[in-house]
Structure formats: structure tokens, C-alpha cells
Amino acid sequence: MKTYLVTGGAGFIGSNFVLYMLDKYFDVKIVNLDSLTYAGNLENLKSLEKNPHHIFVKGDIGDAELVSDLFKKYSFDYVVNFAAESHVDRSIKEPELFAKTNVMGTVNLLNCTKNAWYTEENGWAKGVKYLQVSTDEVYGSLGDTGFFMEDTPLDPHSPYSASKAGADFMVKAYGDTFQMPINITRCSNNYGPYQFPEKLVPLLINNCLNHKDLPIYGDGLNVRDWLFVADHCKAIDMVLRQGVLGEVYNVGGHNERTNLQIIKKVISYINENVDEEVTEKLMTYVEDRKGHDKRYGIAPDKIKADLGWYPETTFEVGIEKTIKWYLDNKEWMANVTTGDYQKYITKMYK
Ligand code: NAD
Ligand code: TYD
């Protein structure tokens, strides 16, 4: 039985990862540490309420006492750090919070992990690993050509990407200085079930269904490289098991789309599948995001060649699956946006 400390496992990717792992393996125990910000929703994990392999703990990755106690109570084999503030627009309004959670929270987690896994006498515990879930946004922005490689210098622009880059450097420092067994994954934009509707894909679906404007930042020609969330989960699992210690792995599926292409895809799916017409008139050009990165495009060559990872879901299949999921789960969308259900279910776990 391998025991995992998964942080941020009530958020979008974290909850998909917890569900993916518990579906795939019977010999896995997951302690899920999440402070339940607006982005963390226990409703995502409702199907695990009676699963003894999942233990939810409400708490902050920056709380040294709590994290150390968890290490004493459970002998973790792996730490997977998803916990973060993750939305670029919020980071422009509240940079301090992003530095606190993403940088200082990560440093605390690294420190508690080192204290639990390392002794002067015996060195590092055997078979353990800390994995930092990072993003392609740390590399900055591309022109019309080229891709981010693992050795592309970090050049973050937003407070979000700068805080993620800061965390990456601290993880690397623990690897280089203390020989801590670490890996870093840097993935492109994810889409799929359970994503909070402030990010582009779920926001568009929610607004289409409510006949609200679809905000297009700038000219709508910024490019993002989209990956179905289950393929990201698969990559993290493979890096945990097979990744060479100290290495960084880029994760992405070469699915670059302009934001306008995404918006038109969502509108056309809704029009073909829902009995209410959504017109392109809802598309509304708004002021551009400050410092808006033009293009992300990631080269996943290393994880493919060295670990045999490949994405299983094409963009066309994944985006249709995703839109269908939101249409089938309108209650989830309503609950996470009003927050009432979240408050109720949080009380249940206290
Ligand atoms: P999310 O915002 O949906 O979830 C973040 C989770 O972290 C939430 O459950 C929140 O409650 C929790 N959290 C926040 N602060 C915490 C704290 N101090 N202590 C404990 N828990 C805390 O984010 P996401 O989209 O699922 O992203 C997860 C990770 O993956 C992040 O580190 C993000 O940088 C990275 N990432 C995201 C994407 C993407 O497209 N969404 C792509 C690449 C990498
Ligand atoms: P987002 O989902 O916030 O992810 P990120 O900024 O981390 O890539 O945004 C994806 C792209 O969509 C980005 O170029 C900004 C753009 N965007 C809009 O045009 N309108 C919106 O309402 C949002 C949320 C994003």
C-alpha cells in the first residue's frame, strides 16, 4: 500500500487526480489536504465519502504543525502538491495571496517533507518522492513559432506565473542542496469536469446556458495549448512512479487553439445539442488582460520518449465530453457558483 499526501485535492485537477488514482489502484491510500478556498469543492469528491482509501483533511499547506502531524500520523511515500491559487486574473488583483500560498506554502511543505523523510544518520527514506505540479506559464510567452522545452529559461509575466516559478525554484533548490527526491511537472492549460467557472472553458459554458455575455479579452487571438485533465493525471502518476529524480517533465498534447476557436466550438456544441439557441451575438470583446501572454505551446517530447506517456483524449473528443459533463451537471455549476452547497458539505466534514 502506497500512501500519498495530495494537497489541493478538492480543486479541479487535484480532485480529478484523486478520483483517477482511486479508480486505477486498489493499493493506494490518499490523504487529501485542502484549505477549501472558493476553488475547492468537496462535492467533487462526493463519490468517495465512504471510501476508506481517501481521508480528507481541511487545512493549509502553510500550517507547519498540521503538516508535520500528518507526516507523523501517516507514513507518506509520496507528496503531490496541487494546492495553489490558480487564476491569473485574481493574481493581478491580489499578488500577495499568490506569493503566500504558492511560494511560502510550498516552502513549508518542502520543509515539513524534508524533516519527515531525512535524517543525518540515515539520509533520505527509501522510495519516497515529492512532486510539484507546475505550469507551462512559468516559461513566459511565445511568438508565432517554437515550443517550450524543459530547458527554456523561466520568464514568468503574471503574479500567478511568477509565484509558480518561485515555487519551482524552491523545489529545485531542495533537490540541488539537500538531494531531496523531487520531480516537477509543467503542464499546459487543462480542461475537463470540475473546473471552477472562472476559467475560460467552464465560464463560456455557464454563460452560454445563462445567456450572459461571453467575454473575449483583447482580439481573442491569444493561443493556449489544451489538454484533457485525465491525461494530465496520467502523466503525474507516471512521473511519480518512473520519473528520474530531480527532473522536470513538460506535459501537453500539441492542441493549440486561439480563444476565438474555443468560444466558437462551445457555441456550436450548445447549438447542436441543447434546445436553446445561443448566438454569436453574445461574444463581447472586452479590455485585454494586463500583461496577457500571447501564446503557450509546450513540447512533451521528453515525457513521451523517456516515460512512454501519450495523451489518450484528442481535443475534439475531450472538449465535447467536457461540455456534455457540464450540461449533465448543471446542479454542480449552480452549487459551486452560489457556494451554499459548499458551506453545507464543509460543515459535514468538520
Ligand atoms: P484550483 O484552483 O481548481 O484548485 C486549487 C486547490 O488548492 C483548491 O482546492 C484550493 O482549495 C486549494 N488550496 C488553495 N490554497 C491552499 C492552501 N493554502 N492550502 C491547502 N489547499 C489550498 O486549481 P487547479 O486548476 O486544479 O490547479 C491545480 C494545480 O495545477 C495548481 O498548482 C496549478 O498551478 C497547476 N496547473 C493548473 C493548470 C490548469 O490549467 N488549471 C495547468 C497546469 C498546472
Ligand atoms: P484562463 O482560463 O484564465 O487560463 P490562463 O490565463 O491560465 O491561460 O484563460 C485562458 C485564455 O482565455 C487566456 O488567453 C485568457 C482568455 N480569457 C478570455 O478571453 N475571457 C475570459 O473570460 C477568460 C476567463 C479568459
Side-chain angles (χ1 to χ4, degrees):
M1 175 80 75
K2 295 283 186 197
T3 307
Y4 292 63
L5 174 60
V6 171
T7 70
F12 163 48
I13 307 174
S15 62
N16 275 283
F17 179 74
V18 170
L19 293 165
Y20 174 92
M21 294 297 284
L22 293 175
D23 186 49
K24 185 165 176 197
Y25 301 106
F26 65 89
D27 58 346
V28 153
K29 183 190 262 185
I30 294 178
V31 177
N32 183 350
L33 174 66
D34 195 301
S35 62
L36 297 179
T37 67
Y38 76 95
N41 291 291
L42 287 173
E43 196 179 353
N44 304 2
L45 303 163
K46 214 164 48 172
S47 62
L48 302 176
E49 260 169 7
K50 295 197 169 71
N51 188 328
H53 293 253
H54 177 244
I55 296 148
F56 181 77
V57 178
K58 182 175 184 304
D60 193 323
I61 55 165
D63 181 340
E65 199 181 328
L66 170 66
V67 177
S68 303
D69 284 350
L70 290 177
F71 269 99
K72 280 181 207 136
K73 190 163 175 193
Y74 307 98
S75 279
F76 296 123
D77 299 288
Y78 298 120
V79 175
V80 189
N81 184 24
F82 291 96
E85 290 294 336
S86 67
H87 191 41
V88 173
D89 294 326
R90 287 180 189 254
S91 81
I92 295 167
K93 293 198 181 105
E94 271 186 291
E96 299 89 343
L97 175 63
F98 282 67
K100 179 170 178 274
T101 299
N102 299 0
V103 185
M104 293 315 292
T106 298
V107 173
N108 182 60
L109 200 56
L110 288 164
N111 227 18
C112 295
T113 304
K114 175 173 168 281
N115 291 341
W117 283 351
Y118 179 80
T119 59
E120 289 287 341
E121 266 182 331
N122 301 318
W124 288 93
K126 297 280 167 285
V128 294
K129 185 181 279 187
Y130 175 104
L131 190 149
Q132 177 72 5
V133 181
S134 187
T135 163
D136 61 356
E137 301 192 25
V138 297
Y139 294 120
S141 184
L142 292 164
D144 292 339
T145 57
F147 298 102
F148 299 131
M149 310 293 290
E150 284 81 359
D151 60 2
T152 301
L154 304 198
D155 182 24
H157 298 133
S158 72
Y160 163 66
S161 52
S163 67
K164 292 296 292 184
D168 283 14
F169 279 127
M170 288 306 294
V171 174
K172 181 178 179 304
Y174 271 67
D176 293 348
T177 308
F178 306 115
Q179 285 74 53
M180 183 164 170
I182 57 113
N183 279 128
I184 298 173
T185 54
R186 297 194 179 126
C187 189
S188 60
N189 284 59
N190 284 212
Y191 64 95
Y194 302 117
Q195 188 168 30
F196 193 82
E198 64 183 353
K199 304 278 167 57
L200 184 66
V201 170
L203 178 133
L204 292 173
I205 301 167
N206 197 25
N207 286 14
C208 276
L209 293 176
N210 292 300
H211 288 260
K212 283 196 199 155
D213 287 351
L214 308 175
I216 305 165
Y217 297 172
D219 58 9
L221 296 179
N222 297 66
V223 172
R224 295 294 181 264
D225 189 352
W226 296 92
L227 187 74
F228 190 58
V229 64
D231 283 320
H232 187 188
C233 296
K234 173 177 148 181
I236 290 170
D237 179 31
M238 290 179 87
V239 172
L240 274 170
R241 282 161 196 274
Q242 300 160 236
V244 176
L245 293 182
E247 292 294 310
V248 175
Y249 293 93
N250 284 349
V251 185
H254 282 305
N255 285 301
E256 291 186 32
R257 299 286 186 285
T258 64
N259 295 335
L260 278 177
Q261 284 175 309
I262 302 287
I263 294 171
K264 287 184 179 165
K265 176 73 200 169
V266 172
I267 292 176
S268 75
Y269 185 93
I270 302 264
N271 280 337
E272 280 161 30
N273 294 280
V274 179
D275 200 18
E276 273 173 83
E277 208 195 337
V278 173
T279 75
E280 294 198 0
K281 282 190 194 143
L282 287 177
M283 289 170 48
T284 308
Y285 287 88
V286 299
E287 194 186 331
D288 206 356
R289 175 185 276 170
K290 286 188 176 62
H292 197 174
D293 285 339
K294 187 69 187 171
R295 174 176 161 247
Y296 301 147
I298 195 148
D301 305 22
K302 177 171 160 181
I303 192 170
K304 282 187 169 175
D306 294 1
L307 307 189
W309 175 87
Y310 61 92
E312 291 182 19
T313 305
T314 62
F315 180 75
E316 287 306 315
V317 169
I319 194 79
E320 298 207 347
K321 250 189 184 175
T322 300
I323 303 172
K324 186 174 181 319
W325 186 87
Y326 286 97
L327 297 182
D328 292 344
N329 290 276
K330 287 185 190 152
E331 209 187 333
W332 180 90
M333 188 77 97
N335 288 336
V336 299
T337 46
T338 63
D340 289 348
Y341 187 84
Q342 197 190 340
K343 277 184 214 141
Y344 160 76
I345 200 156
T346 304
K347 266 193 216 143
M348 277 179 30
Y349 274 88
K350 267 187 183 158

